[in-house]
Amino acid sequence: MPLARNKSSTSLHNAGDQPPSGPLSGPSSIEWRRQRLRQIGSPPAPDTDEAAPLRPTLEARAASYGTLPTSANAKQKSTFRTRHALGTLPSLRIPKPGRYTNPPTPSVASPRSLRGSSYFAAQRPISAYDKPVGGQDSLDAEGAVKTNGIRVWYSSFTSIDWLHDAIKDSARQARLRRHKSKRGRFRRQLDRSVGWLTVTIIGFLTAIIAFMIVRGEQWLFDIKEGYCTAGLWKAKRFCCPVQEDTVLAPRTPFFVTVFDEGSCATWRTWGEVFDPLASSEGGFFEQEAIEYVTYTVIAVLLAVISAVLTLRLTASTSFVTRKDSGVLSSTFANGDDGQKLTDPPAGGAAPRKVLYYAAGSGIPEIKTILSGFVIHGYLGGRTLFTKSVGLALSVASGLSLGKEGPFVHIASCVGNIVSRFFSKYETNEGKRRGILSAACAAGVAVAFGAPIGGVLFSLEEVSYFFPAKVMWRSFFCAMVAAMTLRFLDPFGSGKLVLFQVTYDKDWHAYELVPFLLLGVFGGVYGAWFSKLNYRWTRDVRNATWIKRYPVVEVILVTLVTAMLSFLNPYTRMGGTELVYNLFAECRAGSSNTHSGLCVLNPPTQAIPVIRSILVALLVKGALTIVTFGIKVPAGIFIPTLGVGACAGRILGILIQWAQFSFPNSPAFAMCEGDLDCVIPGLYAMVGAAATLSGVTRTTVSLAVIMFELTDTLTYAVPVMLSVLVAKTIADALEPKGIYDLVIELSQLPYLDAKHDYVWGSLQINDVTDRDVDVVRVDRENTVKSLRDQLQDLVEAGNSDSGFPILRPDGEGMRMVGYIGANELEHALSIVADDPDQEISFHPASAQNHGGPMASSISSLAETGSNILGADPYDFTCYMDQAPLTVQDNSPLELVQQLFTKLGARYVVVTDADGHYQGVIDKKTWLAFLDELEHKSD
């Protein structure tokens, strides 16, 4: 049946909005779909209005996480959330107009008939959209691989369909295997090599970006103190010669200052530059005061620039793609789009939350994305630029934060951008997440010089789905990144490791007791740090005036950090330099005392050193609590390692003092009178590992990272013992690590597959939503009526779900299929010119189930032929004809396994006779688990 073409559609086309080229096309612009859906049932626009602007100010959309908000204009009905009195959680707001992150759909003529071959013209596939993968021979029995209908794009803040993406890739593989010729075998080999080529490029680019960030951060950090007269672009380490130390100089990384400042004529401090002002008659400042003021001003300036870049360039409201819904506002039906973006969503829900994509470490959000959540723009080019530049600025400002965690986010951005150049990943969100897992491994590899630890970190902490193929590619990607970084040599030492440890003594049995104590300290500190940071963010940062002025918060934190930095040399050191010096081994006869940390005569030197380290521990620990979470790129690894290393160094010096004072004690009998038997740097390393384990709750990957980071396996047992004790203590005091708490604060819909729930007497009926709006095939379903149902669904905050399609059967209703909101919107925008035309949904049959419109194998786009005479008003091709179903007497653990192991977006509940009862979508299930967890607490 041909489509009518009225004046309204002509005006839309003339206004510059491109229509889709067919069911298998990518999404058109949001305004085009929005206006098409709005015109349904409206009189055609007069000719005089054809030139009128068609881009009104559009309202933001509330995309909630694990909540079911209601709308004042939507149909008021009892929902799962209202029945169970679940509180409404904050939601994100997503505007529609603005810059689009995807290139526009190629302009095509407005279709006169859906039966014409031009309607199915091929164009650039859009991510997660079903790309045609077959030709005319796709109907052959040998090659027909059936899938459950066509899926269109995934909107922002929705979940992907893991099952459909897996089936779609199976169909693609079947098509490749169907060709037995040499050309077919070559294409199969080429397809296998695409994955390896992709991870190679990702590893290479990640290392280059990491090199630039490290070099830039070092120069910016040193510019707070002075500049190099031999070259303004040179960092302090490259400007001044290293002292003659045949033991340490060849192994010292470039970020460590081991030279005598008095002998460096090419480095001028700001105090020396402004010395005439201080020494002149009537001068108000001493040289030290000038250096302090200059240090503080530059530190604040760097932090403010980083914060402004983060707030201006990466707000979630500024990322809009053609894949977002065009049916977004509660005022859609009456055409009132004047509502401001800052207005709260309808229904009295909490104010909408705005995320800043470049802020923080990014690991919690990466975990959520890899679990199957879509956040358009979070891994894009703009975020990559802002995160990289802002990270160098924020770390250089001297704030108590690190750059290692954000490297995971940066590597994931690189992985996402590179994968979009290959169609097998561009059109399949499930497979793309395998590439992102490999990119995370590369991020850890360049952050710590630990490629093996990076693979284990991706497996243990970040990834949700990690098959053997992903593990191999992650290992290869991390290796490429590590090799590239080795050749670039950003640390000036020719080594991959940051903190080269050259201990030449083994540990002793009596030292297991202090190692155990360090594990207890790490667990207690990790639990309380997580609690305090969570409460500070919830009760102060998000509940006071600071929430409205994030830049002011950055300025205040930077000022406090700068003031406390001059308490002693250890509080002023950069995080990486401090950890290196705390880890270092003191060698007899060496002139390098590692900033006074080498205690040669404990009775006279130990107390002042311990006091200084203790002050640094308290300052770094307190500052990290209030710093982690401000609106700048910030990691948690290095500050946590610094706190643990301080605690370990203090304990090591005390034991060294005890061994020095009582050399003949039975406890030190193994030392046999050797006064250098105790190595304080070893205790610092063990304490750092324990503290980081207490904060992040990682175990195996952290231990391996520490082995690679320190380039030693001698102390594997002490590190493993302290890590396990720290995690055990931390889990007992606070079940969630810092990343899980950030996920909870941000209301990200992360379904933790590792968590065990106690269901008690709860049943499936307690979570099933029986009030879901449905489409009945025995009733008249017109274009206009389906548009109104779609609007009600979106207004209720359920744009991530869809409609069960039912048919009557005796005393109940049976499932025909399920159509998602995005698929229905796409289909309705095509047929919007005929509002009273009836839409049909046909149940699966032997005749059409294997046809091209019922599967991803379609020849329509490639050949331009209409084999089956596809009816544009038959929406069967968009329907999931085999949704996952469970009986209402099934255990809740089965539903949990369907969501976690199979990655289902929704589960249909039926009774024992197969009659439809209701739906459990992923958002409803997350809300149910959240309620269950809070009740158990």
Side-chain angles (χ1 to χ4, degrees), residues 258 272 283 291 638:
V258 296
E272 296 172 351
E291 292 181 358
I638 287 298

Side-chain angles (χ1 to χ4, degrees), residues 495-747:
K495 302 290 184 180
L496 282 177
V497 296
L498 295 179
F499 319 119
Q500 177 114 22
V501 179
T502 54
Y503 307 144
D504 54 3
K505 295 181 177 64
D506 203 348
W507 58 278
H508 306 288
Y510 74 88
E511 292 181 305
L512 288 177
V513 175
F515 293 153
L516 186 67
L517 294 177
L518 288 175
V520 174
F521 170 82
V524 173
Y525 173 83
W528 279 102
F529 169 83
S530 300
K531 287 177 179 288
L532 293 176
N533 179 259
Y534 176 84
R535 293 175 181 176
W536 174 270
T537 303
R538 183 192 62 187
D539 301 332
V540 179
R541 180 173 292 129
N542 293 339
T544 63
W545 59 269
I546 295 178
K547 181 179 180 180
R548 301 189 299 273
Y549 305 101
V551 176
V552 176
E553 180 190 14
V554 172
I555 294 175
L556 292 178
V557 173
T558 308
L559 286 174
V560 173
T561 303
M563 287 189 295
L564 297 178
S565 294
F566 282 79
L567 292 177
N568 62 53
Y570 309 129
T571 57
R572 189 175 179 180
M573 282 184 186
T576 305
E577 183 176 354
L578 175 63
V579 173
Y580 170 80
N581 285 313
L582 290 170
F583 278 16
E585 178 185 8
C586 298
R587 293 181 176 273
S590 173
S591 59
N592 188 352
T593 63
H594 293 282
S595 301
L597 289 173
C598 291
V599 177
L600 303 179
N601 187 14
T604 59
Q605 299 176 338
I607 295 299
V609 173
I610 290 176
R611 185 186 301 114
S612 298
I613 297 176
L614 182 61
V615 170
L617 185 153
L618 297 176
V619 169
K620 295 289 185 181
L623 288 177
T624 305
I625 291 174
V626 299
T627 302
F628 188 69
I630 62 176
K631 298 302 184 290
V632 296
I636 195 66
F637 279 60
I638 287 298
T640 305
L641 288 174
V643 171
C646 286
R649 191 81 184 194
I650 291 174
L651 182 59
I653 292 176
L654 290 176
I655 295 179
Q656 183 186 26
W657 190 0
Q659 193 260 343
F660 183 88
S661 302
F662 308 100
N664 298 322
S665 172
F668 304 107
M670 297 180 181
C671 295
E672 298 179 352
D674 184 6
L675 296 182
D676 295 328
C677 177
V678 179
I679 307 175
L682 168 63
Y683 292 82
M685 182 185 70
V686 174
T691 308
L692 188 57
S693 177
V695 172
T696 63
R697 310 301 164 86
T698 52
T699 53
V700 179
S701 60
L702 174 59
V704 175
I705 287 174
M706 293 302 297
F707 302 152
E708 294 183 274
L709 184 121
T710 56
D711 197 22
T712 179
L713 288 174
T714 306
Y715 306 99
V717 173
V719 171
M720 293 169 63
L721 175 65
S722 64
V723 164
L724 290 175
V725 171
K727 177 173 171 54
T728 303
I729 297 295
D731 286 340
L733 297 177
E734 170 55 57
K736 293 185 177 181
I738 187 64
Y739 296 139
D740 294 325
L741 291 176
V742 171
I743 289 175
E744 181 179 333
L745 281 171
S746 301
Q747 301 297 339

Side-chain angles (χ1 to χ4, degrees), residues 104 114 130 132 181 202 209 222 252 255 284 286 312 588 633 745 749 760 904-905:
L114 289 184
D130 284 0
S181 62
I202 292 171
I209 294 174
D222 290 339
T252 304
F255 53 78
F284 295 100
E286 297 293 336
R312 296 295 183 182
L745 281 171
R905 296 182 72 184

